[in-house]
Amino acid sequence: MIRKNFLPPFSPYIGEEEIKEVIDTLKSDWIAMGPKTLKFEELFREYIGSKFAISVSSCTAGLHLSLVALNIKDGDEVITTPYTFAATGNVIVHQRAKPVFVDIDKETYNINVEEIEKSITDKTKAIIPVHYAGHPCEMDEILKIAKDYDLYVIEDAAHALGAEYKGKKIGTLGDTTSFSFYATKNITTGEGGMVTTDREEIAEKIKILRLHGISRDAWKRYSSEGSWYYEIIECGYKYNMTDIQAAIGIHQLKKVEIMRKRREEIAKIYNDEFENISELIIPITKKHVKHAWHLYPLLLDTDKIRINRNKFIEELKKQNIGTSVHFIPLHLHPFYKRTFGYKKGDFPNAEWVYEREISLPIYPKMTDDDAIDVVNAVKKIISEYK
Ligand SMILES: *Cc1c(COP(=O)(O)O)cnc(C)c1O
């Protein structure tokens, strides 16, 4: 039986609470950055357990501001994974630094920590680990390397809200950690992001840089407590969040653990159904982590089946199952090839995963029946192309 309606690859989980809070905000005098943004930051800080949480317009903005605040500049090198989204690499280039890719491991699809040291040079200033799909990177090893070579650790946690590494929340480990509240991410504000850090001077810098580089509390200048007078002390950016976004975020954050659990339940359905199918490779979860399950990356063992990944996606679509691919490795994109001379073959593990990967739908709105529809569609295609 083919599913009647299309199951989208992602879908936000928005309740009446979010809708009501947005309407309240719209009816108030304050719709740009203001009291609700500060409240959301405080709730987020408490949830993560970091000393500071600074809201921004996106995770991309958070990563960029982290690089600026840590003075990554022209001629520097920053180590990261090729198996990530445009944002991770682009922000390095915005600072005129060079993204130096290190291949991933074939178990978690995260940066291979054993390969990092080989790529460190005198110019290396930072490592950006990306917790792919919500599975934390090997942070003990990364933090040790960073300490030994005096490097910053700027975490891309766009997938990893709610994830833990050895009992510690992601967001408490590196110099800074950036989260995404884009529409597809584990919680959403439409667009938005948050940077957490324990370093006061970095938090202060990011706060100033996100709003034009204007001296403290620039957002208050139109309130009764504020003053018309301000000074530009850095050349900053327009990267702030708004109270409309924060109104959504405040209620999304309350549901973060419920939503993560539901993602985990769906992952379990998939794992149970797929683990004994030899044509499939299911994602593994290391014992010492708590997985945020932003993605469920299923791999096709293309040696064992007469269908490639692209065709498999088309066949799923014919059965009304929406999927996606994460990611086209950065080193295969025209800009990165042209600018840094990267080429096909440079990072074989990233390419190997990319050629086989399908991100199945996994989000809290899905019912068990939705998940079973996905399972049946996958099994049907496998039986047809055995
Ligand atoms: C989504 C994503 C980002 C960017 O998040 P935005 O909030 O859209 O800027 C960065 N890194 C990774 C790995 C992502 O998936």
Side-chain angles (χ1 to χ4, degrees):
M1 271 284 285
I2 289 181
R3 214 189 132 87
K4 284 202 188 66
N5 60 328
F6 182 67
L7 183 70
F10 295 101
S11 179
Y13 189 66
I14 303 286
E16 284 306 314
E17 316 84 83
E18 284 90 337
I19 293 167
K20 191 172 164 297
E21 193 81 39
V22 168
I23 292 170
D24 281 354
T25 311
L26 291 173
K27 287 180 175 169
S28 77
D29 285 337
W30 215 282
I31 58 175
M33 185 177 174
K36 286 192 182 167
T37 311
L38 296 200
K39 184 178 169 191
F40 182 37
E41 287 180 342
E42 181 52 24
L43 292 170
F44 199 89
R45 194 193 63 71
E46 270 174 31
Y47 170 69
I48 296 290
S50 57
K51 288 212 178 92
F52 304 93
I54 308 113
S55 62
V56 282
S57 53
S58 66
C59 177
T60 309
L63 291 167
H64 186 205
L65 290 183
S66 298
L67 292 170
V68 178
L70 292 164
N71 198 29
I72 307 299
K73 54 181 192 310
D74 204 354
D76 291 344
E77 291 178 1
V78 177
I79 289 175
T80 192
T81 169
Y83 210 57
T84 185
F85 186 56
T88 324
N90 288 358
V91 294
I92 300 170
V93 185
H94 290 330
Q95 288 311 100
R96 303 194 178 278
K98 182 185 176 189
V100 174
F101 299 127
V102 168
D103 207 358
I104 57 172
D105 74 59
K106 275 165 100 174
E107 271 194 314
T108 61
Y109 318 145
N110 281 328
I111 192 166
N112 184 348
V113 290
E114 282 162 25
E115 297 289 321
I116 293 176
E117 278 184 273
K118 282 185 219 159
S119 296
I120 295 175
T121 72
D122 291 348
K123 295 176 181 166
T124 311
K125 290 287 154 54
I127 305 172
I128 307 186
V130 178
H131 308 295
Y132 175 79
H135 189 298
C137 294
E138 289 306 333
M139 291 307 294
D140 277 352
E141 283 78 358
I142 290 171
L143 292 166
K144 164 100 174 45
I145 294 167
K147 193 155 182 261
D148 290 349
Y149 292 88
D150 200 17
L151 310 175
Y152 298 119
V153 176
I154 298 167
E155 289 172 70
D156 180 339
H159 300 182
L161 183 60
E164 290 177 13
Y165 175 78
K166 298 189 178 170
K168 292 179 204 139
K169 271 228 171 61
I170 293 300
T172 59
L173 298 167
D175 289 282
T176 70
T177 305
S178 296
F179 296 92
S180 174
F181 311 135
Y182 181 64
T184 59
K185 299 291 159 71
N186 288 30
I187 74 168
T188 186
T189 60
E191 296 272 8
M194 193 77 76
V195 184
T196 60
T197 181
D198 281 350
R199 297 183 53 184
E200 186 166 11
E201 76 285 8
I202 298 302
E204 279 308 313
K205 256 197 179 163
I206 291 175
K207 269 187 201 171
I208 288 165
L209 288 166
R210 76 170 154 185
L211 208 51
H212 304 294
I214 292 176
S215 51
R216 282 189 69 112
D217 293 335
W219 66 271
K220 270 189 194 159
R221 67 194 185 281
Y222 300 126
S223 77
S224 62
E225 301 157 54
S227 154
W228 60 268
Y229 184 77
Y230 58 83
E231 287 181 349
I232 302 161
I233 54 175
E234 299 282 348
C235 184
Y237 302 83
K238 179 63 176 166
Y239 277 170
N240 62 285
M241 180 174 272
T242 70
D243 270 21
I244 302 173
Q245 291 165 297
I248 306 170
I250 286 165
H251 294 282
Q252 287 273 292
L253 190 60
K254 288 182 186 159
K255 295 183 274 199
V256 60
E257 190 49 30
I258 294 170
M259 293 199 281
R260 196 202 63 81
K261 282 224 175 80
R262 184 61 194 148
R263 287 171 178 275
E264 194 168 60
E265 284 167 12
I266 293 163
K268 189 173 183 321
I269 295 176
Y270 289 157
N271 281 344
D272 291 348
E273 294 287 341
F274 295 148
E275 69 181 343
N276 294 321
I277 300 180
S278 67
E279 292 84 358
L280 299 174
I281 302 164
I282 61 170
I284 69 130
T285 308
K286 296 261 180 177
K287 286 240 159 45
H288 56 276
V289 310
K290 187 163 157 186
H291 201 315
W293 289 112
H294 169 57
L295 301 174
Y296 186 91
L298 182 68
L299 264 51
L300 273 190
D301 193 339
T302 44
D303 295 336
K304 295 186 182 156
I305 194 165
R306 295 177 298 108
I307 182 173
N308 67 22
R309 189 271 318 275
N310 294 0
K311 186 91 196 307
F312 205 99
I313 285 178
E314 280 171 37
E315 291 294 320
L316 282 171
K317 204 167 191 177
K318 281 188 202 155
Q319 296 190 63
N320 267 331
I321 306 297
T323 58
S324 185
V325 173
H326 297 84
F327 290 98
I328 306 164
L330 291 186
H331 72 283
L332 300 181
H333 286 281
F335 171 79
Y336 286 90
K337 284 182 173 168
R338 187 172 80 224
T339 312
F340 301 103
Y342 288 120
K343 58 188 185 309
K344 194 165 163 42
D346 283 351
F347 305 101
N349 289 355
E351 291 170 26
W352 186 88
V353 179
Y354 163 58
E355 282 157 17
R356 290 162 179 76
E357 200 267 349
I358 304 170
S359 299
L360 297 184
I362 181 166
Y363 44 87
K365 223 190 236 176
M366 284 174 66
T367 63
D368 285 6
D369 285 344
D370 289 333
I372 293 300
D373 284 346
V374 176
V375 167
N376 289 339
V378 168
K379 286 183 177 173
K380 183 163 179 276
I381 302 166
I382 288 174
S383 68
E384 280 166 14
Y385 289 88
K386 247 187 181 2

